[in-house]
Amino acid sequence: MTAGRTTAMPALLLLALSAAGCTSGNETDHADTTTAPRSSTAPPEEHSTELVPPALDPEAGEVVAGRRGATHGNASFSYDAGSPEKALIVAVSCRGSGSVKVSVPVLGTEFPLECGGAEPAVTYNQLAMNAAHKAGTVAVTAPSTVTWSVTVGRGNAVEQEPSATG
């Protein structure tokens, strides 16, 4: 393999909370799901069997609020409070046979991620909601056949693109 090899990630999409299949108790809240290619200083996965938490982009002003390393099955962890002007970022990586469900109770939202077998599936979800600045927990429900890791952070809210109606 060459040193310049990169792992492809799903294309980023900006979706309203209801279009993303997430749930929220506040109609004025919205969540943007972003899964664009991200640069990472982490070593290539091919040299490690450990699944590392996804990296955030400090050059874009993203900061880590909490992390959970490689985990099998169900678990939860807490993250720190942040600035009210920033959106909450929940970046998830998983590998194995099955899918994970990620819940953020303080925001009343959840989303699924289908894991892709040997290659990690990665998604970045940006939640620009009224309570996004509060400390909270992330709960992940996953079968024992799946290894997952999560990074929670804060960043500038991405402008939502208008949806095309036909």
Side-chain angles (χ1 to χ4, degrees), residues 21-100:
C22 298
T23 59
S24 172
N26 188 335
E27 290 181 19
T28 63
D29 292 344
H30 70 277
D32 296 328
T33 300
T34 57
T35 51
R38 308 280 287 231
S39 61
S40 173
T41 57
E45 292 283 336
E46 65 187 298
H47 298 297
S48 173
T49 58
E50 189 73 15
L51 187 68
V52 297
L56 298 181
D57 186 356
E59 291 180 17
E62 296 176 352
V63 296
V64 174
R67 259 194 186 121
R68 175 81 183 216
T71 305
H72 297 276
N74 302 338
S76 63
F77 67 98
S78 61
Y79 59 88
D80 298 331
S83 170
E85 295 84 32
K86 302 289 184 176
L88 186 72
I89 299 167
V90 181
V92 183
S93 179
C94 68
R95 178 173 48 214
S97 178
S99 62
V100 299

Side-chain angles (χ1 to χ4, degrees), residues 149-166:
S149 62
V150 176
T151 300
V152 177
R154 300 274 177 352
N156 295 324
V158 174
E159 293 279 331
Q160 183 174 348
E161 294 179 13
S163 61
T165 56

Side-chain angles (χ1 to χ4, degrees), residues 60-146:
E62 296 176 352
V63 296
V64 174
R67 259 194 186 121
R68 175 81 183 216
T71 305
H72 297 276
N74 302 338
S76 63
F77 67 98
S78 61
Y79 59 88
D80 298 331
S83 170
E85 295 84 32
K86 302 289 184 176
L88 186 72
I89 299 167
V90 181
V92 183
S93 179
C94 68
R95 178 173 48 214
S97 178
S99 62
V100 299
K101 180 177 81 172
V102 181
S103 301
V104 185
V106 74
L107 299 180
T109 190
E110 63 184 39
F111 57 90
L113 176 60
E114 185 65 34
C115 305
E119 287 295 318
V122 179
T123 187
Y124 289 80
N125 295 284
Q126 185 181 80
L127 305 166
M129 304 171 87
N130 291 337
H133 67 283
K134 295 181 179 180
T137 60
V138 172
V140 177
T141 305
S144 61
T145 57
V146 169

Side-chain angles (χ1 to χ4, degrees), residues 1-6 44 46-47 119:
M1 300 279 159
T2 63
R5 179 175 174 250
T6 60
E46 65 187 298
H47 298 297
E119 287 295 318

